[in-house]
Amino acid sequence: MRFMVMEPASQVEEIEQSATAAPEGGNTRRGVLIGVGLAGAAGVVAACGGSDDSGDNGSAGQQSPTGGGGGAALAQASEIPVGGGKVFKDQKVVVVQPTQGTFKAFSAVCTHRSCPVDEVAGGTINCPCHGSKFKIADGSVAGGPATKPLEEKQVTVADGQIKLA
């Protein structure tokens, strides 16, 4: 239960002023809490930035130049069967040979849920996660649930070696 005591107006003003005044040193509990919150937010923002020292610069499948303007060799042309292909997991790329002497490359990341594709069989590039299939001729969807084609990558074939362009 609370009792109100009637104080003269001058005492009421004095009590109100002392209740809202900052304690000695100028720090209020509210000010300290706001400062701590801002420091925590700054830490989160700093953690979101910066660099990734894992070596993956986000350019899936790109290689350092090894001369001649191309990347490191992915494979020998003879390793890629006609009507089939091969998945290069480390480079996140799949190289196919839809017809004799025609080599194409696509991202090995499924457009449905970003799972890595794992095989080339029966004329399609296949994702094990949800069963999406992509045509080796152009990377278009042969069977869902994916609705977007695989991203095409540029390759060159020189001296029997397939390289990312």
Side-chain angles (χ1 to χ4, degrees), residues 5-19:
V5 177
M6 299 302 285
E7 300 285 341
S10 63
Q11 286 181 339
V12 170
E13 284 179 22
E14 188 177 310
I15 292 170
E16 287 176 351
Q17 286 176 355
S18 68

Side-chain angles (χ1 to χ4, degrees), residues 1 14-15 18 23 37 49 58 63-64 66 69 78 85-88 103 112 129 132-133 136 139-140 152 162:
M1 181 178 272
E14 188 177 310
I15 292 170
S18 68
Q63 298 293 316
S64 301
T66 57
S78 60
K86 184 175 179 181
V87 178
F88 298 90
F103 295 91
H112 174 242
C129 293
S132 292
K133 295 180 180 292
I136 64 170
S140 64
E152 188 167 0
I162 300 171

Side-chain angles (χ1 to χ4, degrees), residues 41-157:
V44 169
V45 170
C48 290
S51 66
D52 176 11
D53 292 334
S54 69
D56 182 7
N57 63 6
S59 56
Q62 298 299 317
Q63 298 293 316
S64 301
T66 57
L74 289 172
Q76 294 293 318
S78 60
E79 295 176 47
I80 309 300
V82 176
K86 184 175 179 181
V87 178
F88 298 90
K89 291 179 183 178
D90 291 342
Q91 292 82 5
K92 297 179 184 168
V93 69
V94 57
V95 177
V96 296
Q97 186 177 189
T99 59
Q100 179 70 40
T102 303
F103 295 91
K104 294 190 173 199
F106 301 98
S107 169
V109 178
C110 180
T111 58
H112 174 242
R113 295 280 182 183
S114 300
C115 290
V117 298
D118 71 341
E119 72 171 351
V120 180
T124 59
I125 302 164
N126 306 315
C127 180
C129 293
H130 302 104
S132 292
K133 295 180 180 292
F134 303 90
K135 297 176 186 175
I136 64 170
D138 59 7
S140 64
V141 177
T147 59
K148 296 179 183 174
L150 292 175
E151 177 187 350
E152 188 167 0
K153 304 287 185 176
Q154 297 301 313
V155 290
T156 59
V157 182

